[in-house]
Amino acid sequence: QIQSKVTELGGYMEQSDISGSSITHNNIRPDRYGSITARIPANKLDSFIALVEDSGNVTNRSESTQDVTLQYSDLESRKKTLSVEQDRIWALLEKADTLEAVIALESRLSEIRYELESMESRLKLYDNQVEYSTVTIDINEVLPVNFTPIAPETVGQRIQKGFSRNVKGMADFFTN
């Protein structure tokens, strides 16, 4: 249900892992759990969280925000400076008259291109961080009998459950 909602909202699964056993032995609850990391469009985050909360029993919730404005603007500024330097080197390269000057200018031009491509990649990463929210969900499987009851049990219900457990325990004892 979570995976289909992620897709429906235009997000994507970054990571998904399910492990453990769903087999029940002697009334011992299954030991199965999962972890999902999803990227949800930022403007649809609230509806996704509402779905998750409606789908299960949320026992812990934590939210955090990371402001990348300063890093983004610093990176853009450095990118502009390198672009200006690249333009100057192209102009110098056209006027270079010695082989050593051409080699030195082309070497620096190559370094600048590498740095600009790296900066462009980081800017795209920051854009992605702003456009999508990261949601990490840890899921533990429980048997329906392990859910907290809505109303307290009556004395008769508690006696009946205790009797059933004792009969089951005796059956297991004689079986073993």
Side-chain angles (χ1 to χ4, degrees):
Q1 185 179 12
I2 290 173
Q3 289 175 337
S4 64
K5 190 66 173 179
V6 167
T7 304
E8 177 186 321
L9 292 174
Y12 60 94
M13 300 295 289
E14 193 171 78
Q15 181 267 336
S16 176
D17 178 43
I18 297 173
S19 55
S21 173
S22 64
I23 299 171
T24 305
H25 295 289
N26 295 332
N27 254 358
I28 297 174
R29 72 181 187 94
D31 187 23
R32 204 161 84 143
Y33 49 91
S35 176
I36 295 173
T37 302
R39 302 280 289 158
I40 308 295
N43 60 347
K44 297 178 180 175
L45 179 63
D46 291 336
S47 64
F48 179 74
I49 289 176
L51 169 91
V52 171
E53 288 179 339
D54 291 343
S55 298
N57 184 17
V58 177
T59 58
N60 186 20
R61 178 178 168 176
S62 175
E63 292 184 31
S64 66
T65 305
Q66 181 182 8
D67 188 1
V68 294
T69 306
L70 184 60
Q71 293 96 326
Y72 194 92
S73 60
D74 182 48
L75 200 55
E76 278 189 323
S77 175
R78 288 184 23 219
K79 183 181 167 196
K80 287 178 187 175
T81 303
L82 277 177
S83 293
V84 168
E85 183 181 354
Q86 178 178 294
D87 293 341
R88 288 182 186 157
I89 290 178
W90 276 114
L92 289 172
L93 194 58
E94 290 175 4
K95 296 177 184 176
D97 54 356
T98 66
L99 184 59
E100 292 83 20
V102 169
I103 291 173
L105 290 171
E106 284 184 347
S107 174
R108 180 61 187 145
L109 193 58
S110 176
E111 290 171 8
I112 290 173
R113 284 186 194 152
Y114 174 76
E115 288 181 47
L116 285 172
E117 287 175 8
S118 174
M119 288 178 182
E120 196 63 42
S121 274
R122 285 188 295 200
L123 286 171
K124 286 180 183 176
L125 176 66
Y126 287 144
D127 287 339
N128 185 277
Q129 283 180 326
V130 170
E131 292 172 15
Y132 289 87
S133 295
T134 303
V135 178
T136 303
I137 302 169
D138 293 319
I139 303 167
N140 293 315
E141 182 178 34
V142 294
L143 293 173
V145 296
N146 289 340
F147 287 131
T148 305
I150 296 171
E153 293 179 335
T154 65
V155 174
Q157 289 172 327
R158 289 184 7 220
I159 291 172
Q160 182 181 8
K161 281 188 177 180
F163 182 74
S164 296
R165 278 194 306 265
N166 286 336
V167 168
K168 171 104 172 86
M170 292 294 288
D172 289 344
F173 173 77
F174 286 118
T175 302
N176 291 334

